[in-house]
Structures are given as C-alpha cells and as structure tokens.
Amino acid sequence: MKNRLKSALLVLSAVTLPATAAELLWYGQAAVKITTDAGKVILIDPFITRNPKTPEALKDLSRLGKVDLILVTHGHGDHVGDTAEIAKMTGAKVAMNADMGHTFSTLGVVPADQLIRFNKSGPIKPVDGVTVTMVRAEHSSEFVHTDADGHKSVHPGGEPAGYIIELENGYRIYHAGDTGVFADMKFIGEYYRPDLELLPIGGHFTMDPKHAAYAVRNLLNSKQVLPIHYGTFPPLTGTPEEFKAALGTTQTKVIDLAPGETMKF
C-alpha cells in the first residue's frame, strides 16, 4: 500500500511540477545568454566586460557559471568581446565562420580543439539537442588582434553571419548579427520560421529602425522580435520607440528588455 501511494505521488509530482522554461538574458549590444530548458548554456557575441550598457554586476565573468557553446557572428570587437577569456574559463566550444576560425587558431586566440569552423546552410549540432544553422548577414568582418606587447594588427574575419538556433523543444531563435536588410531574409522567414528574432536597430553600421521594421513586416513575420544593437555607442541612434512606430500594426510582438533583463519562452 505504501509503495503504491509513493508511486502515485511521484506520478502526480511529474504531472503538476512546471517544466523548466528556457531563458534569454540580454547584456546589451548583440550579447545574449540563452539557457535552454535542458540546461544548455549558449552565449552569442559575448561583449560583456567592456560593454557600456551591461550592468556592472554582470561584468564579473565568474558569475556566468558553465557555458557549453559560444557563437560569434563576425570579427568586430563589440561582438568577439570576451570570447577568448570565457572559452579559457569554461572550456566551451566556440563556433564561427571557417575563415575566422583559422585566424583565431593561428593567432592563438582560441585553441584549435575548442573551435568549430563551419559555414552557411548546413546545420550542425554542437551540443546535445541544439541545432545551429549559419545564415547570411550584410555587413563586414575583420579581427583586430592585440599581442602581448600591446601591438595591434588586423586579420581576416571571414564573412559576417547570423544564426538560427533551434532548441531541444523546437523553439527557433534568429540572431541576425550585424546586418542591413536583404531580400533573402524572406527565405529565412519562410524556411526556418523563427519564433523569436533578434534584430539590430541602431543604424550607421546596421539596420536602423525603419529598415528593421521593413524586414519584420515584409520578410520575416515571426511571432516576437527583440531589438538589439542600439544606444551603446554614439552613432547607434535608433530606438525601440522609433522601431515600434515604423512597425505599426503587426502580429509580431516587440519584446522590451533593458540590458541585464531576461525573457522566458
């Protein structure tokens, strides 16, 4: 009798306890931390310690805990950010375009055995249950390296990219990286059908609010969009308010996050 009661309670607990929700933390600029519902931790463009918008408490990299994967969209410093230090601290795999991977390996930025070099289209499974597909971005990419003596040199950063990240539960996130609007965003919207888009709106180096709104309304049409890459440096003047005004009436929900805030899905 006791065993049957214990079994019934275990079944009831399994039914009534809520599943762990996946979470996205935005550090500001293009830096995000995704924690999947199975506990995998993915960082994208981890520009954290030198990010003027990241809350001071989050600039302590020791608070990151475990990291399974770092995705880097292109070679600019506000996207590469703390990749090398985090990779060294955590042993995380670092995935990026194949050419930039050669640059990182040759310069000793990230050890070759931690790098995943890949290119656009063919999906990869860099961690259990998570699928990542590299897609096009309209931008530039170079990597400025500072050696032990403080000397700077410029190296190839390969082609810029965005990423489609499909989590264990099928939820799909499109991190566009730094990009201008381009017609193939329609393919991204139709083929990958992202649930959440992370789109730059700052202008100058990327889409401004009007271009990003056009991309959402006419090309992507996802359920939710999180505006990123604005307000960090003086040229990035676009704002979420301008983005919403340009977007107008749409079925896509705009997510309002301040740097350091999270959303669950």
Side-chain angles (χ1 to χ4, degrees):
M1 180 67 179
K2 287 183 178 179
N3 288 337
R4 285 201 299 271
L5 180 58
K6 183 177 180 181
S7 297
L9 288 172
L10 288 173
V11 170
L12 182 61
S13 296
V15 171
T16 58
L17 286 175
T20 303
E23 180 183 88
L24 182 147
L25 164 65
W26 182 45
Y27 290 95
Q29 199 69 337
V32 296
K33 177 184 179 182
I34 299 167
T35 305
T36 76
D37 54 8
K40 300 294 189 300
V41 178
I42 303 165
L43 294 178
I44 307 176
D45 288 352
F47 176 54
I48 299 172
T49 59
R50 289 169 293 159
N51 188 333
K53 292 296 183 180
T54 301
E56 285 300 317
L58 294 179
K59 291 185 178 183
D60 179 1
L61 297 181
S62 67
R63 295 188 60 184
L64 281 170
K66 78 150 185 165
V67 178
D68 297 290
L69 176 68
I70 302 170
L71 295 170
V72 182
T73 62
H74 63 290
H76 295 161
D78 59 326
H79 295 262
V80 173
D82 301 293
T83 294
E85 185 174 352
I86 296 168
K88 184 177 181 180
M89 285 174 53
T90 65
K93 292 292 185 181
V94 180
M96 59 181 62
N97 81 72
D99 296 339
M100 190 162 68
H102 271 316
T103 295
F104 273 47
S105 176
T106 301
L107 293 172
V109 178
V110 174
D113 61 358
Q114 279 182 255
L115 285 165
I116 300 175
R117 299 172 51 250
F118 70 128
N119 273 326
K120 298 180 182 73
S121 289
I124 64 170
K125 294 183 181 295
V127 294
D128 288 344
V130 176
T131 301
V132 178
T133 307
M134 185 184 293
V135 295
R136 177 182 170 189
E138 276 297 315
H139 195 55
S140 57
S141 183
E142 63 183 12
F143 177 62
V144 179
H145 181 249
T146 304
D147 65 20
D149 297 321
H151 298 136
K152 292 185 177 183
S153 53
V154 180
H155 300 268
E159 292 188 355
Y163 294 109
I164 304 291
I165 303 102
E166 183 173 341
L167 307 185
E168 301 97 338
N169 60 5
Y171 191 91
R172 291 179 179 176
I173 300 168
Y174 169 38
H175 191 301
D178 276 10
T179 190
V181 65
F182 56 94
D184 282 352
M185 283 182 169
K186 187 172 181 61
F187 166 77
I188 291 171
E190 291 178 350
Y191 187 83
Y192 297 106
R193 298 184 180 278
D195 297 285
L196 171 67
E197 305 156 359
L198 280 64
L199 299 184
I201 65 164
H204 195 91
F205 298 106
T206 71
M207 295 185 290
D208 61 11
K210 289 184 178 179
H211 284 85
Y214 178 91
V216 171
R217 194 172 54 247
N218 297 288
L219 303 173
L220 292 164
N221 298 305
S222 72
K223 298 172 186 174
Q224 296 180 309
V225 59
L226 172 64
I228 61 171
H229 206 277
Y230 65 88
T232 318
F233 303 110
L236 309 182
T237 58
T239 66
E241 291 72 28
E242 292 172 328
F243 174 60
K244 291 175 189 175
L247 192 57
T249 302
T250 176
Q251 293 183 345
T252 302
K253 180 183 178 182
V254 179
I255 305 298
D256 278 318
L257 289 184
E261 291 184 341
T262 62
M263 64 173 287
K264 294 186 182 296
F265 44 86

